[in-house]
Amino acid sequence: MAPAGRFRATNVNLGEWARTGDRGQLKRGMGHYVAKGYAGSSTATRRMASTAQTANSLFTALGGGAANSFAAPGAPLDPALTASMSADEIMDAVVEAVRPVDGTQDSEANRAAIMDALSDVLTEFPDADLRNLLPEQREVAIERFVAADIFRRVDLDIGAKVLAKAPTAAAGMGRMREMRDFVREHVSEAFRKVRAAGQTFVASRVTQIVQMAIRETFTVFESYVE
């Protein structure tokens, strides 16, 4: 059972941020989210285990060649099946292949985050082929997926409280977009640090790299209340 009131400090700080826009309150709120809501960055990282596992599957699904088990004959992304699909249909097919519905909140968050990530890739690389992304494009997809999934987990846990404290509905939605961008900035920085440490995106390392980036992100969040 989760401890009673584990998000109390998070809600107090993020509620004040929602009301005033004070970015310091946003930082403190996210710090308490990790430190008290999940008892620290190590526990928070373990809580996101499905994110790392799904990222590994997504990395595979977005690459071409024999290594892509999702594109084998008769598989969900078999080129014979996807050749006539629109970009939207391919996105749906990737989501279904990588993260089938299982009735859990984690799977729903993962599925929505995959769709967010693929939309971002097509916005940034309009000519990208989602059935066979270039290495740089696949890395962007994984990074954006992780950021979207973390944000969606935060939203599930405390998003309603933020919206309730904002002065207007429009302001509340603006705050949530700001929080999404805040998470994305930190995740991007975490991936830069992982790359700078010599980690290379190859299929055998994706799960570990994503775990490292998530841990780095949560460690930085936690540092805001140390």
Side-chain angles (χ1 to χ4, degrees):
M1 294 291 290
R6 66 188 178 120
F7 292 128
R8 184 175 295 118
T10 303
N11 288 331
V12 168
N13 283 275
L14 291 183
E16 186 64 14
W17 162 68
R19 188 178 68 82
T20 67
D22 180 351
R23 193 170 176 86
Q25 295 284 3
L26 171 59
K27 288 184 174 182
R28 286 189 287 276
M30 295 302 290
H32 285 301
Y33 177 77
V34 173
K36 295 185 178 179
Y38 282 101
S41 56
S42 295
T43 303
T45 300
R46 288 195 295 272
R47 176 65 184 82
M48 302 293 292
S50 69
T51 303
Q53 294 162 1
T54 301
N56 184 69
S57 296
L58 180 60
F59 185 84
T60 298
L62 297 178
N68 185 354
S69 57
F70 296 104
L77 301 180
D78 179 351
L81 300 176
T82 61
S84 61
M85 288 184 178
S86 66
D88 286 343
E89 290 171 332
I90 292 173
M91 289 167 64
D92 288 338
V94 170
V95 171
E96 292 299 331
V98 171
R99 199 61 162 102
V101 173
D102 65 11
T104 65
Q105 283 190 330
D106 281 353
S107 72
E108 289 306 309
N110 288 166
R111 287 166 61 85
I114 292 170
M115 191 66 75
D116 290 343
L118 298 181
S119 295
D120 282 351
V121 168
L122 290 180
T123 297
E124 192 163 337
F125 306 100
D127 297 326
D129 180 357
L130 293 177
R131 297 163 299 181
N132 187 15
L133 292 182
L134 299 175
E136 175 193 0
Q137 296 168 345
R138 276 209 283 181
E139 290 189 28
V140 169
I142 298 305
E143 180 181 312
R144 297 295 172 79
F145 164 70
V146 172
D149 206 50
I150 291 175
F151 169 71
R152 286 183 177 278
R153 169 51 54 187
V154 176
D155 188 15
L156 281 170
D157 286 334
I158 49 84
K161 297 288 187 180
V162 172
L163 293 172
K165 292 294 184 179
T168 66
M173 295 305 296
R175 292 285 183 262
M176 296 308 293
R177 287 192 294 272
E178 185 179 347
M179 182 187 288
R180 179 199 62 197
D181 292 343
F182 177 87
V183 170
R184 179 180 286 187
E185 290 164 8
H186 283 72
V187 169
S188 291
E189 178 59 24
F191 273 100
R192 282 194 290 272
K193 287 186 177 181
V194 169
R195 292 188 187 96
Q199 298 295 326
T200 303
F201 266 89
V202 293
S204 62
R205 294 288 298 161
V206 172
T207 300
Q208 292 84 354
I209 288 172
V210 169
Q211 288 171 334
M212 292 169 67
I214 292 172
R215 175 66 180 268
E216 174 64 23
T217 301
F218 286 149
T219 298
V220 173
F221 286 172
E222 191 175 15
S223 73
Y224 291 139
V225 293
E226 290 179 348

